[in-house]
Amino acid sequence: MSDQEAYGRKDSRVLLQDTIQSSGDGLDPAAWLKETDIVSYDFPYAAHLIADSFREWRALSAPAFAESWDWCVLNYEGKWIDTIDDNEESRERWKSHWELAAACSLQTRELYAAFELNNGQAMSIITIPVFTRGHGEIFTVLGCAMTQDQYEQGGRHTAEAMVMHFQTCFYRRFEHVFVSDLAGVHLHAERESSRRSLLFQIVQRMHDNIDVDAVLTEVIDSISAMYPGARLELFMSQDHRSTHPQVKALPLHWGNDDVCAKAFKDGQVALHAGREDFPFVEVGLPLGGKQGVYGVFHMILDKPSFHEVDLRFLSMVADTAGTAFENAKLYDRSNQLIRELRMSNELTQRLNQSLRLGDIFKFAFEELLEMFDADYCCILHLNEEKGGLETIACNHTPLVGELVDAGQGIGGKIYSSGEPIILSDYRNAAGEKSRLMDATQSLSLIATPLSVGGEVRGAIMLAHRIPHFFSYDSYRLLQAMAGHIGLAVGNARLHAEVRRLANRDSLTGLYARHYLDEEIKERQSTDFCGSLIVVDIDQFKMVNDTYGHQQGDAILKQVSEIVKASIRQGDIAARWGGEELAVYLPQLGVQQAICVAERIRKRVMGETDPCVTVSCGIAEWSWTDERVSVESLFYRADMALYEAKNNGRNQVVIDHKKDEASAKNPWA
């Protein structure tokens, strides 16, 4: 019976509670059922129940003389409901008679009899009202057709007795429906209570977990336990990876009619009842929180096992799971931020341990590999002298030292554009190729420009062989780490520049004297020999007096440039003081030093304007000598220079003290 049919039984349900409460006093626990009754509110909805009761009643045995009687049942308004007569013509013929007679019975509230001729035979048409057992209201009317003789011989009383039996049959069915309704309500309440209890347990377990994967596992296991025959999958966005076999990556392309696509886009439950050849129900449940939708559950169930209440319950489970997932995600994110701050601090501390550019790139390379769990790391840095991006650090050794043109390959493009990049699957990436990715067969890549002092000076690339390995959190973290590395590189470059300026003579661009002293001392601890040339411009005071000090400075610069152009890359040229210059030649003896000095002397004489000449003094040391201090080496070279000056200038003189010592001691 529908809810509308049960509307009039509110008083009876109150009676039920009162009766159950009093059952402890020895009363019949089923007594309340006899007090239930149909009321006027139920009459418009009772036709189906009356018809069923009527057919059940007619199927029971009747007196032999009454088996030929025709019966019908009419509603509380005297309108036709049903009859046992299957003859359409007979039913239509008597229908109007019974409805007229029923109207009279409803008016008089008594049995009404009318007499008609049927094929020459006198017939009695009677209608008998049926009353409710509580308030005595007429809820139906029974009609009967019998011969007039049967009516006069007691048929009327038999019919009245049979109607009373019908009333008993009706109330038995009515009580059955009422009890069924109550049982249904009770079962529904129990089911809802069980679901609420289950939902509470699921919510409690999910919120007890602060691990993202644990939350997903809990909700999948809970739904699978509730619907063991269902096929269940969870599609998650690309920034979350899980080892659970039922958790998969969100597809990039979905059909417009796909329930998962609709659920993910709209953030609401999507349902597809299937086709005739697909006797299943597809459900898309969004997994979302306050900040957005993170994924979607895809369920396929058999139609008979799915109810609307299940959809509401599943929606609550999915909403709860979304909230728990978001909380776990936020907790995980807070831990990630703490970890990033700690790693940033550790990286900064290690980078600050050295101001050498090579050490900084080495530290950064090692830390990035460990921090991001990457398979490969490649750091490119601009080399102005070589005219390209040089691979400073890479754990794929064939690439170390290679040059990349700006704008070429992924690294060159990052340098040119100044924009970071993330590739989830290199195989599907269109555009420039990467030597690193091709050589290492990597599929995942995150890369960022390396900026130093607001200027892009290189690129940092991290690669992994597994596709979709790096998340957007890793992508953002790399950019933050690149900022720290760029700052350390800037400090190292600034330190190197300051050191270079401190070690250079501002006028000539040659090294300062103190730098030359330090380098000779360091070389003497590792090399086996070396030579020192002291170069002095002849009559430089006269040059200044004749041409002025500005021209004198220009000549000093010319001579300095000739000196730098006449020596090897590893040789050290410095300004000794005033117009005196010094050149140290590591690993060269005095004979090779004479050649270098003569080259300088001749070029100065031929290339300066106005023309000047230089005098050179040479001294050497070797590991076979007694320890020679830097001061004594300079003194011996200066003495040789003094001798060159006294001998007429524009010449090269070597230190003879060592030769004299060698003559006295041939083993020296």
Side-chain angles (χ1 to χ4, degrees), residues 162-191:
M162 293 178 69
V163 168
M164 293 179 64
H165 183 224
F166 165 80
Q167 184 189 45
T168 302
C169 290
F170 170 80
Y171 273 104
R172 184 175 67 250
R173 178 170 286 271
F174 171 77
E175 291 166 0
H176 172 75
V177 172
F178 185 67
V179 171
S180 297
D181 285 350
L182 289 179
V185 171
H186 179 69
L187 289 176
H188 179 74
E190 283 189 345
R191 186 177 183 184

PDB file of all heavy atoms in Angstrom, residues 162-191:
ATOM      1  N   MET A 162     -22.897 -13.555   3.816  1.00  0.00           N
ATOM      2  CA  MET A 162     -21.709 -13.618   2.962  1.00  0.00           C
ATOM      3  C   MET A 162     -20.979 -12.267   2.925  1.00  0.00           C
ATOM      4  O   MET A 162     -19.737 -12.220   2.858  1.00  0.00           O
ATOM      5  CB  MET A 162     -22.106 -14.055   1.550  1.00  0.00           C
ATOM      6  CG  MET A 162     -22.618 -15.508   1.480  1.00  0.00           C
ATOM      7  SD  MET A 162     -23.128 -16.003  -0.182  1.00  0.00           S
ATOM      8  CE  MET A 162     -21.543 -16.042  -1.016  1.00  0.00           C
ATOM      9  N   VAL A 163     -21.739 -11.175   2.992  1.00  0.00           N
ATOM     10  CA  VAL A 163     -21.105  -9.851   3.014  1.00  0.00           C
ATOM     11  C   VAL A 163     -20.324  -9.666   4.308  1.00  0.00           C
ATOM     12  O   VAL A 163     -19.230  -9.086   4.318  1.00  0.00           O
ATOM     13  CB  VAL A 163     -22.166  -8.759   2.839  1.00  0.00           C
ATOM     14  CG1 VAL A 163     -21.587  -7.387   3.155  1.00  0.00           C
ATOM     15  CG2 VAL A 163     -22.714  -8.787   1.430  1.00  0.00           C
ATOM     16  N   MET A 164     -20.887 -10.189   5.414  1.00  0.00           N
ATOM     17  CA  MET A 164     -20.147 -10.121   6.669  1.00  0.00           C
ATOM     18  C   MET A 164     -18.844 -10.915   6.572  1.00  0.00           C
ATOM     19  O   MET A 164     -17.799 -10.512   7.102  1.00  0.00           O
ATOM     20  CB  MET A 164     -21.014 -10.644   7.817  1.00  0.00           C
ATOM     21  CG  MET A 164     -22.227  -9.757   8.127  1.00  0.00           C
ATOM     22  SD  MET A 164     -23.245 -10.425   9.458  1.00  0.00           S
ATOM     23  CE  MET A 164     -22.085 -10.343  10.812  1.00  0.00           C
ATOM     24  N   HIS A 165     -18.918 -12.040   5.855  1.00  0.00           N
ATOM     25  CA  HIS A 165     -17.695 -12.823   5.643  1.00  0.00           C
ATOM     26  C   HIS A 165     -16.688 -12.039   4.787  1.00  0.00           C
ATOM     27  O   HIS A 165     -15.471 -12.070   5.015  1.00  0.00           O
ATOM     28  CB  HIS A 165     -18.049 -14.160   4.976  1.00  0.00           C
ATOM     29  CG  HIS A 165     -16.855 -15.053   4.799  1.00  0.00           C
ATOM     30  ND1 HIS A 165     -16.618 -15.747   3.641  1.00  0.00           N
ATOM     31  CD2 HIS A 165     -15.818 -15.345   5.630  1.00  0.00           C
ATOM     32  CE1 HIS A 165     -15.495 -16.426   3.770  1.00  0.00           C
ATOM     33  NE2 HIS A 165     -14.999 -16.206   4.987  1.00  0.00           N
ATOM     34  N   PHE A 166     -17.218 -11.298   3.790  1.00  0.00           N
ATOM     35  CA  PHE A 166     -16.333 -10.462   2.964  1.00  0.00           C
ATOM     36  C   PHE A 166     -15.620  -9.421   3.832  1.00  0.00           C
ATOM     37  O   PHE A 166     -14.429  -9.148   3.648  1.00  0.00           O
ATOM     38  CB  PHE A 166     -17.141  -9.764   1.870  1.00  0.00           C
ATOM     39  CG  PHE A 166     -16.381  -8.642   1.220  1.00  0.00           C
ATOM     40  CD1 PHE A 166     -15.425  -8.897   0.241  1.00  0.00           C
ATOM     41  CD2 PHE A 166     -16.595  -7.312   1.612  1.00  0.00           C
ATOM     42  CE1 PHE A 166     -14.726  -7.853  -0.327  1.00  0.00           C
ATOM     43  CE2 PHE A 166     -15.885  -6.273   1.038  1.00  0.00           C
ATOM     44  CZ  PHE A 166     -14.939  -6.541   0.051  1.00  0.00           C
ATOM     45  N   GLN A 167     -16.413  -8.834   4.768  1.00  0.00           N
ATOM     46  CA  GLN A 167     -15.795  -7.841   5.641  1.00  0.00           C
ATOM     47  C   GLN A 167     -14.644  -8.461   6.431  1.00  0.00           C
ATOM     48  O   GLN A 167     -13.585  -7.860   6.592  1.00  0.00           O
ATOM     49  CB  GLN A 167     -16.846  -7.267   6.598  1.00  0.00           C
ATOM     50  CG  GLN A 167     -16.300  -6.153   7.484  1.00  0.00           C
ATOM     51  CD  GLN A 167     -17.282  -5.749   8.563  1.00  0.00           C
ATOM     52  OE1 GLN A 167     -17.881  -6.631   9.208  1.00  0.00           O
ATOM     53  NE2 GLN A 167     -17.454  -4.445   8.767  1.00  0.00           N
ATOM     54  N   THR A 168     -14.837  -9.707   6.880  1.00  0.00           N
ATOM     55  CA  THR A 168     -13.770 -10.402   7.605  1.00  0.00           C
ATOM     56  C   THR A 168     -12.558 -10.623   6.708  1.00  0.00           C
ATOM     57  O   THR A 168     -11.399 -10.395   7.105  1.00  0.00           O
ATOM     58  CB  THR A 168     -14.277 -11.743   8.133  1.00  0.00           C
ATOM     59  OG1 THR A 168     -15.414 -11.515   8.985  1.00  0.00           O
ATOM     60  CG2 THR A 168     -13.192 -12.472   8.908  1.00  0.00           C
ATOM     61  N   CYS A 169     -12.800 -11.057   5.457  1.00  0.00           N
ATOM     62  CA  CYS A 169     -11.697 -11.271   4.505  1.00  0.00           C
ATOM     63  C   CYS A 169     -10.965  -9.949   4.214  1.00  0.00           C
ATOM     64  O   CYS A 169      -9.734  -9.913   4.131  1.00  0.00           O
ATOM     65  CB  CYS A 169     -12.238 -11.868   3.214  1.00  0.00           C
ATOM     66  SG  CYS A 169     -12.810 -13.564   3.368  1.00  0.00           S
ATOM     67  N   PHE A 170     -11.737  -8.898   4.068  1.00  0.00           N
ATOM     68  CA  PHE A 170     -11.115  -7.602   3.773  1.00  0.00           C
ATOM     69  C   PHE A 170     -10.198  -7.169   4.914  1.00  0.00           C
ATOM     70  O   PHE A 170      -9.057  -6.743   4.692  1.00  0.00           O
ATOM     71  CB  PHE A 170     -12.199  -6.538   3.533  1.00  0.00           C
ATOM     72  CG  PHE A 170     -11.651  -5.144   3.473  1.00  0.00           C
ATOM     73  CD1 PHE A 170     -11.050  -4.660   2.306  1.00  0.00           C
ATOM     74  CD2 PHE A 170     -11.692  -4.310   4.597  1.00  0.00           C
ATOM     75  CE1 PHE A 170     -10.532  -3.374   2.265  1.00  0.00           C
ATOM     76  CE2 PHE A 170     -11.173  -3.036   4.545  1.00  0.00           C
ATOM     77  CZ  PHE A 170     -10.587  -2.559   3.379  1.00  0.00           C
ATOM     78  N   TYR A 171     -10.725  -7.277   6.158  1.00  0.00           N
ATOM     79  CA  TYR A 171      -9.913  -6.814   7.279  1.00  0.00           C
ATOM     80  C   TYR A 171      -8.708  -7.711   7.526  1.00  0.00           C
ATOM     81  O   TYR A 171      -7.667  -7.248   8.019  1.00  0.00           O
ATOM     82  CB  TYR A 171     -10.778  -6.677   8.542  1.00  0.00           C
ATOM     83  CG  TYR A 171     -11.440  -5.324   8.617  1.00  0.00           C
ATOM     84  CD1 TYR A 171     -12.792  -5.161   8.319  1.00  0.00           C
ATOM     85  CD2 TYR A 171     -10.692  -4.195   8.967  1.00  0.00           C
ATOM     86  CE1 TYR A 171     -13.385  -3.908   8.366  1.00  0.00           C
ATOM     87  CE2 TYR A 171     -11.296  -2.948   9.016  1.00  0.00           C
ATOM     88  CZ  TYR A 171     -12.632  -2.800   8.717  1.00  0.00           C
ATOM     89  OH  TYR A 171     -13.217  -1.551   8.758  1.00  0.00           O
ATOM     90  N   ARG A 172      -8.838  -8.995   7.189  1.00  0.00           N
ATOM     91  CA  ARG A 172      -7.659  -9.858   7.310  1.00  0.00           C
ATOM     92  C   ARG A 172      -6.571  -9.393   6.330  1.00  0.00           C
ATOM     93  O   ARG A 172      -5.397  -9.283   6.685  1.00  0.00           O
ATOM     94  CB  ARG A 172      -8.037 -11.320   7.043  1.00  0.00           C
ATOM     95  CG  ARG A 172      -6.834 -12.259   7.266  1.00  0.00           C
ATOM     96  CD  ARG A 172      -7.213 -13.729   7.131  1.00  0.00           C
ATOM     97  NE  ARG A 172      -7.576 -14.062   5.759  1.00  0.00           N
ATOM     98  CZ  ARG A 172      -8.813 -14.349   5.367  1.00  0.00           C
ATOM     99  NH1 ARG A 172      -9.805 -14.354   6.251  1.00  0.00           N
ATOM    100  NH2 ARG A 172      -9.072 -14.631   4.108  1.00  0.00           N
ATOM    101  N   ARG A 173      -6.984  -9.093   5.100  1.00  0.00           N
ATOM    102  CA  ARG A 173      -6.009  -8.590   4.115  1.00  0.00           C
ATOM    103  C   ARG A 173      -5.511  -7.196   4.512  1.00  0.00           C
ATOM    104  O   ARG A 173      -4.334  -6.879   4.351  1.00  0.00           O
ATOM    105  CB  ARG A 173      -6.642  -8.565   2.720  1.00  0.00           C
ATOM    106  CG  ARG A 173      -5.739  -8.025   1.623  1.00  0.00           C
ATOM    107  CD  ARG A 173      -6.351  -8.253   0.270  1.00  0.00           C
ATOM    108  NE  ARG A 173      -6.268  -9.643  -0.131  1.00  0.00           N
ATOM    109  CZ  ARG A 173      -5.229 -10.171  -0.793  1.00  0.00           C
ATOM    110  NH1 ARG A 173      -4.197  -9.396  -1.096  1.00  0.00           N
ATOM    111  NH2 ARG A 173      -5.219 -11.428  -1.124  1.00  0.00           N
ATOM    112  N   PHE A 174      -6.463  -6.378   5.019  1.00  0.00           N
ATOM    113  CA  PHE A 174      -6.078  -5.036   5.446  1.00  0.00           C
ATOM    114  C   PHE A 174      -5.032  -5.101   6.562  1.00  0.00           C
ATOM    115  O   PHE A 174      -4.035  -4.372   6.552  1.00  0.00           O
ATOM    116  CB  PHE A 174      -7.330  -4.283   5.922  1.00  0.00           C
ATOM    117  CG  PHE A 174      -7.036  -2.971   6.589  1.00  0.00           C
ATOM    118  CD1 PHE A 174      -6.709  -1.840   5.838  1.00  0.00           C
ATOM    119  CD2 PHE A 174      -7.071  -2.861   7.977  1.00  0.00           C
ATOM    120  CE1 PHE A 174      -6.441  -0.637   6.460  1.00  0.00           C
ATOM    121  CE2 PHE A 174      -6.793  -1.657   8.593  1.00  0.00           C
ATOM    122  CZ  PHE A 174      -6.482  -0.541   7.834  1.00  0.00           C
ATOM    123  N   GLU A 175      -5.241  -5.995   7.536  1.00  0.00           N
ATOM    124  CA  GLU A 175      -4.284  -6.151   8.633  1.00  0.00           C
ATOM    125  C   GLU A 175      -2.942  -6.669   8.117  1.00  0.00           C
ATOM    126  O   GLU A 175      -1.879  -6.249   8.590  1.00  0.00           O
ATOM    127  CB  GLU A 175      -4.860  -7.097   9.691  1.00  0.00           C
ATOM    128  CG  GLU A 175      -6.044  -6.504  10.442  1.00  0.00           C
ATOM    129  CD  GLU A 175      -6.798  -7.552  11.233  1.00  0.00           C
ATOM    130  OE1 GLU A 175      -6.377  -8.739  11.187  1.00  0.00           O
ATOM    131  OE2 GLU A 175      -7.800  -7.200  11.892  1.00  0.00           O
ATOM    132  N   HIS A 176      -3.017  -7.562   7.123  1.00  0.00           N
ATOM    133  CA  HIS A 176      -1.781  -8.080   6.544  1.00  0.00           C
ATOM    134  C   HIS A 176      -0.980  -6.951   5.869  1.00  0.00           C
ATOM    135  O   HIS A 176       0.239  -6.836   6.057  1.00  0.00           O
ATOM    136  CB  HIS A 176      -2.111  -9.183   5.528  1.00  0.00           C
ATOM    137  CG  HIS A 176      -0.905  -9.642   4.752  1.00  0.00           C
ATOM    138  ND1 HIS A 176       0.062 -10.453   5.307  1.00  0.00           N
ATOM    139  CD2 HIS A 176      -0.523  -9.389   3.460  1.00  0.00           C
ATOM    140  CE1 HIS A 176       1.005 -10.691   4.397  1.00  0.00           C
ATOM    141  NE2 HIS A 176       0.669 -10.059   3.265  1.00  0.00           N
ATOM    142  N   VAL A 177      -1.700  -6.129   5.106  1.00  0.00           N
ATOM    143  CA  VAL A 177      -1.023  -5.007   4.440  1.00  0.00           C
ATOM    144  C   VAL A 177      -0.479  -4.036   5.478  1.00  0.00           C
ATOM    145  O   VAL A 177       0.639  -3.520   5.351  1.00  0.00           O
ATOM    146  CB  VAL A 177      -1.999  -4.293   3.479  1.00  0.00           C
ATOM    147  CG1 VAL A 177      -1.380  -3.007   2.938  1.00  0.00           C
ATOM    148  CG2 VAL A 177      -2.378  -5.225   2.334  1.00  0.00           C
ATOM    149  N   PHE A 178      -1.262  -3.799   6.524  1.00  0.00           N
ATOM    150  CA  PHE A 178      -0.841  -2.867   7.555  1.00  0.00           C
ATOM    151  C   PHE A 178       0.418  -3.363   8.263  1.00  0.00           C
ATOM    152  O   PHE A 178       1.383  -2.615   8.460  1.00  0.00           O
ATOM    153  CB  PHE A 178      -1.989  -2.682   8.553  1.00  0.00           C
ATOM    154  CG  PHE A 178      -1.715  -1.648   9.602  1.00  0.00           C
ATOM    155  CD1 PHE A 178      -1.604  -0.311   9.259  1.00  0.00           C
ATOM    156  CD2 PHE A 178      -1.559  -2.009  10.927  1.00  0.00           C
ATOM    157  CE1 PHE A 178      -1.357   0.641  10.219  1.00  0.00           C
ATOM    158  CE2 PHE A 178      -1.308  -1.058  11.885  1.00  0.00           C
ATOM    159  CZ  PHE A 178      -1.211   0.272  11.543  1.00  0.00           C
ATOM    160  N   VAL A 179       0.384  -4.662   8.605  1.00  0.00           N
ATOM    161  CA  VAL A 179       1.561  -5.242   9.267  1.00  0.00           C
ATOM    162  C   VAL A 179       2.758  -5.244   8.314  1.00  0.00           C
ATOM    163  O   VAL A 179       3.893  -4.984   8.711  1.00  0.00           O
ATOM    164  CB  VAL A 179       1.244  -6.668   9.769  1.00  0.00           C
ATOM    165  CG1 VAL A 179       2.511  -7.355  10.256  1.00  0.00           C
ATOM    166  CG2 VAL A 179       0.215  -6.610  10.886  1.00  0.00           C
ATOM    167  N   SER A 180       2.492  -5.530   7.023  1.00  0.00           N
ATOM    168  CA  SER A 180       3.578  -5.503   6.038  1.00  0.00           C
ATOM    169  C   SER A 180       4.186  -4.103   5.945  1.00  0.00           C
ATOM    170  O   SER A 180       5.410  -3.938   5.842  1.00  0.00           O
ATOM    171  CB  SER A 180       3.071  -5.947   4.666  1.00  0.00           C
ATOM    172  OG  SER A 180       2.615  -7.275   4.705  1.00  0.00           O
ATOM    173  N   ASP A 181       3.296  -3.101   5.975  1.00  0.00           N
ATOM    174  CA  ASP A 181       3.792  -1.727   5.945  1.00  0.00           C
ATOM    175  C   ASP A 181       4.659  -1.435   7.158  1.00  0.00           C
ATOM    176  O   ASP A 181       5.738  -0.833   7.054  1.00  0.00           O
ATOM    177  CB  ASP A 181       2.633  -0.742   5.891  1.00  0.00           C
ATOM    178  CG  ASP A 181       1.997  -0.687   4.508  1.00  0.00           C
ATOM    179  OD1 ASP A 181       2.585  -1.262   3.578  1.00  0.00           O
ATOM    180  OD2 ASP A 181       0.920  -0.063   4.370  1.00  0.00           O
ATOM    181  N   LEU A 182       4.146  -1.859   8.336  1.00  0.00           N
ATOM    182  CA  LEU A 182       4.925  -1.629   9.549  1.00  0.00           C
ATOM    183  C   LEU A 182       6.254  -2.373   9.504  1.00  0.00           C
ATOM    184  O   LEU A 182       7.300  -1.839   9.904  1.00  0.00           O
ATOM    185  CB  LEU A 182       4.120  -2.074  10.773  1.00  0.00           C
ATOM    186  CG  LEU A 182       2.917  -1.215  11.157  1.00  0.00           C
ATOM    187  CD1 LEU A 182       2.216  -1.808  12.367  1.00  0.00           C
ATOM    188  CD2 LEU A 182       3.357   0.211  11.456  1.00  0.00           C
ATOM    189  N   ALA A 183       6.214  -3.609   9.007  1.00  0.00           N
ATOM    190  CA  ALA A 183       7.457  -4.382   8.901  1.00  0.00           C
ATOM    191  C   ALA A 183       8.424  -3.718   7.925  1.00  0.00           C
ATOM    192  O   ALA A 183       9.634  -3.660   8.162  1.00  0.00           O
ATOM    193  CB  ALA A 183       7.151  -5.811   8.449  1.00  0.00           C
ATOM    194  N   GLY A 184       7.837  -3.193   6.819  1.00  0.00           N
ATOM    195  CA  GLY A 184       8.687  -2.493   5.852  1.00  0.00           C
ATOM    196  C   GLY A 184       9.329  -1.259   6.456  1.00  0.00           C
ATOM    197  O   GLY A 184      10.512  -0.985   6.244  1.00  0.00           O
ATOM    198  N   VAL A 185       8.488  -0.510   7.220  1.00  0.00           N
ATOM    199  CA  VAL A 185       9.033   0.676   7.887  1.00  0.00           C
ATOM    200  C   VAL A 185      10.117   0.277   8.876  1.00  0.00           C
ATOM    201  O   VAL A 185      11.172   0.922   8.965  1.00  0.00           O
ATOM    202  CB  VAL A 185       7.899   1.450   8.602  1.00  0.00           C
ATOM    203  CG1 VAL A 185       8.474   2.550   9.490  1.00  0.00           C
ATOM    204  CG2 VAL A 185       6.940   2.040   7.583  1.00  0.00           C
ATOM    205  N   HIS A 186       9.863  -0.814   9.597  1.00  0.00           N
ATOM    206  CA  HIS A 186      10.846  -1.285  10.571  1.00  0.00           C
ATOM    207  C   HIS A 186      12.132  -1.733   9.882  1.00  0.00           C
ATOM    208  O   HIS A 186      13.241  -1.372  10.322  1.00  0.00           O
ATOM    209  CB  HIS A 186      10.241  -2.431  11.386  1.00  0.00           C
ATOM    210  CG  HIS A 186      11.183  -3.002  12.400  1.00  0.00           C
ATOM    211  ND1 HIS A 186      11.579  -2.298  13.514  1.00  0.00           N
ATOM    212  CD2 HIS A 186      11.821  -4.214  12.444  1.00  0.00           C
ATOM    213  CE1 HIS A 186      12.420  -3.049  14.217  1.00  0.00           C
ATOM    214  NE2 HIS A 186      12.578  -4.207  13.587  1.00  0.00           N
ATOM    215  N   LEU A 187      11.981  -2.495   8.805  1.00  0.00           N
ATOM    216  CA  LEU A 187      13.166  -2.943   8.072  1.00  0.00           C
ATOM    217  C   LEU A 187      13.930  -1.763   7.483  1.00  0.00           C
ATOM    218  O   LEU A 187      15.163  -1.731   7.492  1.00  0.00           O
ATOM    219  CB  LEU A 187      12.756  -3.917   6.959  1.00  0.00           C
ATOM    220  CG  LEU A 187      12.271  -5.289   7.409  1.00  0.00           C
ATOM    221  CD1 LEU A 187      11.800  -6.109   6.209  1.00  0.00           C
ATOM    222  CD2 LEU A 187      13.384  -6.042   8.139  1.00  0.00           C
ATOM    223  N   HIS A 188      13.145  -0.797   6.963  1.00  0.00           N
ATOM    224  CA  HIS A 188      13.791   0.393   6.408  1.00  0.00           C
ATOM    225  C   HIS A 188      14.547   1.147   7.502  1.00  0.00           C
ATOM    226  O   HIS A 188      15.679   1.620   7.281  1.00  0.00           O
ATOM    227  CB  HIS A 188      12.736   1.299   5.774  1.00  0.00           C
ATOM    228  CG  HIS A 188      13.293   2.565   5.203  1.00  0.00           C
ATOM    229  ND1 HIS A 188      14.020   2.603   4.032  1.00  0.00           N
ATOM    230  CD2 HIS A 188      13.234   3.850   5.659  1.00  0.00           C
ATOM    231  CE1 HIS A 188      14.393   3.847   3.788  1.00  0.00           C
ATOM    232  NE2 HIS A 188      13.921   4.626   4.750  1.00  0.00           N
ATOM    233  N   ALA A 189      13.903   1.249   8.679  1.00  0.00           N
ATOM    234  CA  ALA A 189      14.563   1.939   9.792  1.00  0.00           C
ATOM    235  C   ALA A 189      15.820   1.195  10.220  1.00  0.00           C
ATOM    236  O   ALA A 189      16.856   1.809  10.499  1.00  0.00           O
ATOM    237  CB  ALA A 189      13.592   2.077  10.966  1.00  0.00           C
ATOM    238  N   GLU A 190      15.706  -0.149  10.282  1.00  0.00           N
ATOM    239  CA  GLU A 190      16.885  -0.935  10.644  1.00  0.00           C
ATOM    240  C   GLU A 190      17.997  -0.770   9.615  1.00  0.00           C
ATOM    241  O   GLU A 190      19.180  -0.650   9.960  1.00  0.00           O
ATOM    242  CB  GLU A 190      16.508  -2.416  10.770  1.00  0.00           C
ATOM    243  CG  GLU A 190      15.781  -2.761  12.051  1.00  0.00           C
ATOM    244  CD  GLU A 190      15.637  -4.262  12.206  1.00  0.00           C
ATOM    245  OE1 GLU A 190      15.843  -4.981  11.200  1.00  0.00           O
ATOM    246  OE2 GLU A 190      15.327  -4.711  13.311  1.00  0.00           O
ATOM    247  N   ARG A 191      17.583  -0.781   8.343  1.00  0.00           N
ATOM    248  CA  ARG A 191      18.578  -0.636   7.285  1.00  0.00           C
ATOM    249  C   ARG A 191      19.255   0.732   7.350  1.00  0.00           C
ATOM    250  O   ARG A 191      20.473   0.843   7.223  1.00  0.00           O
ATOM    251  CB  ARG A 191      17.901  -0.812   5.926  1.00  0.00           C
ATOM    252  CG  ARG A 191      18.875  -0.824   4.751  1.00  0.00           C
ATOM    253  CD  ARG A 191      18.146  -1.067   3.461  1.00  0.00           C
ATOM    254  NE  ARG A 191      19.076  -1.148   2.344  1.00  0.00           N
ATOM    255  CZ  ARG A 191      18.714  -1.291   1.071  1.00  0.00           C
ATOM    256  NH1 ARG A 191      17.426  -1.379   0.770  1.00  0.00           N
ATOM    257  NH2 ARG A 191      19.613  -1.350   0.120  1.00  0.00           N
TER     258      ARG A 191
END
